[in-house]
Amino acid sequence: MTNATARQSPTISLIVPAYNEEDYLPACLDAIMNNVAGEALEIIVIDNNSTDRTRQIIEGYPGVTYVFEPHKGITRARQCGFQAASGEIIAYVDADTKPPAGWITQIREQFAARESLACLSGPYSFYDLGRARNGISRAWFIAARPLYKLTGYMMVGGNFAIRRDVLEKMGGFDRTIEFYGEDVDIGKRARSHGKVLFSPRFVMPTSGRRMRKQGFARIAGLYFANYLSIAVRGKPATRHYQDIR
């Protein structure tokens, strides 16, 4: 196999961190089995010390690998997935997402087309919010584009793919970050090893449960504050977070 051929067909591992996700995980895994399973090297779900039926749900899907991470935290779950995966590209979605048809094809095509691409991400769409709130959310991603052009990175934690060798050079994920800012930190550090592409076409349907329960204005303010904090200070402004289930 030539180097050119290898670039055209990178192997892709899909990682799904899950903490007490019995209500949302079945729909996520159904979408993965319908739209992703045939093209991914492996599908790994990280049970991040759940106390509900998350494990039983995962084990009900043949072809999905169950891995247990006892230390709760999204960055710890991401790191556990990275260590368990064997693909050249490591892709991450959240347990309340529904990966669409063509999603993994975009990953393969983008990395094959750009040898310098370190990380790919894109916006959310919300399958359980009304049209007005979805419109506001899309406007937020559009409004954030100047920051992306200024810094060279923008990330969505439930919708990204990163090269294995880049993660290795980064030393993996920063497990000192509990929640807010973890995606910005990934993008910032990946930018030192190549291009971080935020593509408007690389859309991930997800739940708007956090926005419904905490309010869009509050969530937008938290994410904006932590983006700036990571960009300027290298650490998040907000340490504590609320689990929304």
Side-chain angles (χ1 to χ4, degrees):
M1 181 182 290
T2 65
N3 289 337
T5 303
R7 286 197 300 272
Q8 291 169 5
S9 303
T11 55
I12 302 170
S13 298
L14 178 63
I15 311 297
V16 187
Y19 169 71
N20 286 352
E21 291 287 7
E22 64 180 5
D23 292 337
Y24 288 86
L25 188 57
C28 175
L29 291 178
D30 286 345
I32 287 172
M33 300 310 290
N34 289 332
N35 300 324
V36 174
E39 298 184 72
L41 174 67
E42 57 195 352
I43 299 159
I44 302 171
V45 182
I46 308 300
D47 178 357
N48 196 197
N49 205 18
S50 299
T51 57
D52 65 355
R53 295 184 60 257
T54 290
R55 177 169 186 163
Q56 291 92 320
I57 291 167
I58 297 166
E59 292 177 340
Y61 286 80
V64 174
T65 300
Y66 172 89
V67 177
F68 184 71
E69 168 52 57
H71 301 291
K72 183 175 174 290
I74 185 61
T75 53
R76 299 177 190 96
R78 294 205 198 286
Q79 181 69 14
C80 179
F82 167 43
Q83 293 171 334
S86 55
E88 297 166 278
I89 306 295
I90 316 295
Y92 287 87
V93 301
D94 285 343
D96 61 349
T97 63
K98 296 179 181 179
W103 180 79
I104 203 166
T105 301
Q106 287 196 60
I107 296 174
R108 183 172 286 108
E109 291 176 348
Q110 292 283 14
F111 279 93
R114 297 173 172 84
E115 192 173 357
S116 64
L117 184 60
C119 187
L120 169 68
S121 188
Y124 285 140
S125 65
F126 297 94
Y127 56 74
D128 54 2
L129 293 184
R131 184 177 299 178
R133 285 187 176 182
N134 246 315
I136 292 171
S137 300
R138 285 194 295 271
W140 189 92
F141 284 112
I142 293 171
R145 286 179 186 173
L147 274 177
Y148 170 50
K149 290 182 179 180
L150 178 65
T151 62
Y153 54 87
M154 187 160 73
M155 285 278 299
V156 167
N159 183 28
F160 76 97
I162 188 167
R163 281 172 39 194
R164 166 179 289 280
D165 62 337
V166 169
L167 264 177
E168 290 170 348
K169 292 172 185 175
M170 289 166 50
F173 297 94
D174 185 348
R175 278 87 77 199
T176 67
I177 298 177
E178 291 296 329
F179 185 79
Y180 290 112
E182 58 95 13
D183 45 4
V184 183
D185 173 75
I186 296 164
K188 180 179 181 180
R189 292 192 293 131
R191 181 68 182 85
S192 299
H193 304 284
K195 180 176 179 58
V196 175
L197 176 63
F198 191 86
S199 170
R201 293 178 52 247
F202 191 60
V203 179
M204 177 59 66
T206 191
S207 172
R209 55 185 173 172
R210 185 169 290 275
M211 275 189 269
R212 285 200 314 271
K213 293 187 179 182
Q214 294 187 292
F216 179 82
R218 181 183 178 192
I219 294 302
L222 283 168
Y223 277 92
F224 182 70
N226 281 282
Y227 186 105
L228 291 180
S229 185
I230 291 286
V232 175
R233 302 164 58 232
K235 57 183 180 180
T238 308
R239 180 171 178 82
H240 300 291
Y241 68 97
Q242 180 183 355
D243 287 320
I244 303 292
R245 294 295 178 268

